[in-house]
Structures are given as C-alpha cells and as structure tokens.
Amino acid sequence: MRKPYKEFYARLSEEYNEEEFVYSTASGRLRREYITQLLKKHFNSDQPDYILDVGCGGMPVQLNNYQIIGIDIGLASLCRARQNNTDSIFICGDADNLDFLKACSFGYAVLSETIEHLEEPQKCLKGIFNALKPGGMLLITCPNWNRRKPIMELPSQIRRLPVPLPEPEGYLHTAYKPEELKQMCQQAGFKTVEMGSFEKELRYWTKIPQIGYRAAQKIFGNRTWVDKLYHSSLKLGVALLAVTLSLIHISEPTRPLYISY
C-alpha cells in the first residue's frame, strides 16, 4: 500500500469509528449476521483452528472456540477491537503485503469489506493463500456493482474529518462481481466452493431512509444531525425487522468462498 493510503487509513481509524457508524445501520448489522451464519455453516467447529481476519478494523469476526488473528492498517481500530476481544491477537499490518505471515498457519481466513479498498488485491489473495493450511477456506465479502463499476468514494461524513485524502477525488472504494472474484481467487490458487449474493429484498429496503437522507442533505447541507437522524431511522428499521425476521428468507448462494451484495 502506498504511503498516502497508509497515512489516510491510520488517521481515519483515529477520527472515524467505522464499527459504530457502519455496523449500527440496518444493512451493516444484517450483513454481519449473514457472515456469521456462513462461518458457522462452513467452518468445521469439530476441529477449531485459527481464523485470519484480514482488514478486521474495530470489529473482527467472532466465532466460539476459534482463535481470531486480526490484521488491519489502522492502529486505533485495532486498539478498539482489543478492548472487546481480549482473547484475540491483533497485528498492525498491510493487507497488500502479508509476507510476514508464516506459511500454512491458518485453517480459515476472512476478507470482509476489505478487498474493494486494496490497490493490489491479487497480492493480498496470494498472501492469504500462502498463509492457509492445505484445504483451508477463505470467505470474502465485498460490494457488487451493476451499471458502472465504482472506483473512488468520498462520503460526506469522511469529507468533514481532518484526514488527508490519498487522492484528490477521495479514496479507493471499488466493487467486484462474483465472477470477477472467482477469477481472481483462481489466479491466487483457490478453488471455488460457493459464490453468490445477498437477497435483494434485504438490500433494497434500506433505500427508503436513504432517499430521505439525500433529500435532507440537499435542503440542509452536510450537517451532523442529519447523519444522526438517518442512522437512527436505520436502527429503528432493524428493530422492526427483528419482529418480522421469521417472514424474511435469506437465500443461500449456490453452494462460501465469497459473496457480494
């Protein structure tokens, strides 16, 4: 990872509590729950092993009887993660360069909401492949794309932070179709176990408060209270969803090595 990006993510982890902001939203909480269920389904609980969580941020995966080894470029995020996960091990490192990991050391690995931010994703995948034991499994999640593949992003909440941007137009935040991930993983040495995407019904119901959020931004500008009101509405949506969760079906992918949404 280039120096401007290292500095950006280091400062961002100090100024922006992503785990509180993102995973308090409806889509964030649903995504995390979905990932947990996939891990329980595919990781062998009869033979607990190390789980390598690359780009773990302040909220590494949690799975009973497994030892979590979290890696992230943001030291402040790792410090927050350590407060709530005292039995886990955390390493401040670059996901684009995982050569410091001992070969064949991990039974499982997770690359969740990370690959879309990497300048050299192929190097990351190869590094994870080398760190996994023979027969090990990697779960990847990342954004999907439809009409036009995104490249850069600069959300309003980050634009207001005293953080130097790595690029004039923002920072790298792309997306991959399942077929793209399949090809990338195969080039790194992996075999596809499962691929697919989140149920559209779970993704698009959150668009309703987003429409109100964007309208409020146009009327009132980039205000903190607008952000808080938006995320409060999403929290309410999650509470309402919990009441009717039995009515919602999450379709399984075709059998996960990776999923997108």
Side-chain angles (χ1 to χ4, degrees), residues 18-84:
E18 182 183 29
E19 56 271 20
E20 180 178 311
F21 192 83
V22 174
Y23 290 103
S24 67
T25 67
S27 57
R29 292 176 64 177
L30 288 170
R31 182 170 69 238
R32 186 169 176 84
E33 176 60 26
Y34 189 45
I35 291 170
T36 300
Q37 294 305 317
L38 287 170
L39 296 179
K40 290 179 179 179
K41 174 185 175 182
H42 288 276
F43 288 15
N44 187 358
S45 58
D46 295 332
Q47 296 179 338
D49 207 324
Y50 291 105
I51 297 179
L52 176 65
D53 190 348
V54 180
C56 64
M59 286 191 71
V61 295
Q62 294 180 332
L63 209 59
N64 292 337
N65 301 324
Y66 289 87
Q67 176 70 63
I68 308 299
I69 311 295
I71 296 176
D72 200 273
I73 198 69
L75 180 59
S77 293
L78 294 180
C79 290
R80 293 193 298 270
R82 179 64 178 169
Q83 293 176 356
N84 299 317

Side-chain angles (χ1 to χ4, degrees), residues 160-215:
R160 294 193 295 268
L161 298 176
V163 177
L165 295 174
E167 311 282 356
E169 60 271 37
Y171 64 99
L172 179 63
H173 189 169
T174 187
Y176 296 99
K177 290 182 177 296
E179 294 78 10
E180 291 180 284
L181 288 177
K182 178 180 179 179
Q183 183 177 10
M184 292 166 63
C185 288
Q186 288 176 339
Q187 291 174 353
F190 289 99
K191 294 181 180 179
T192 302
V193 175
E194 181 172 321
M195 58 183 285
S197 61
F198 282 96
E199 193 71 59
K200 289 184 178 180
E201 287 80 357
L202 290 180
R203 289 194 291 145
Y204 290 123
W205 75 270
T206 59
K207 297 295 183 182
I208 297 175
Q210 284 182 358
I211 293 173
Y213 175 60
R214 290 170 182 169

Side-chain angles (χ1 to χ4, degrees), residues 20 24-26 29 230-240:
E20 180 178 311
S24 67
T25 67
R29 292 176 64 177
Y230 168 59
H231 286 283
S232 295
S233 67
L234 289 176
K235 288 181 181 180
L236 177 61
V238 169
L240 295 175

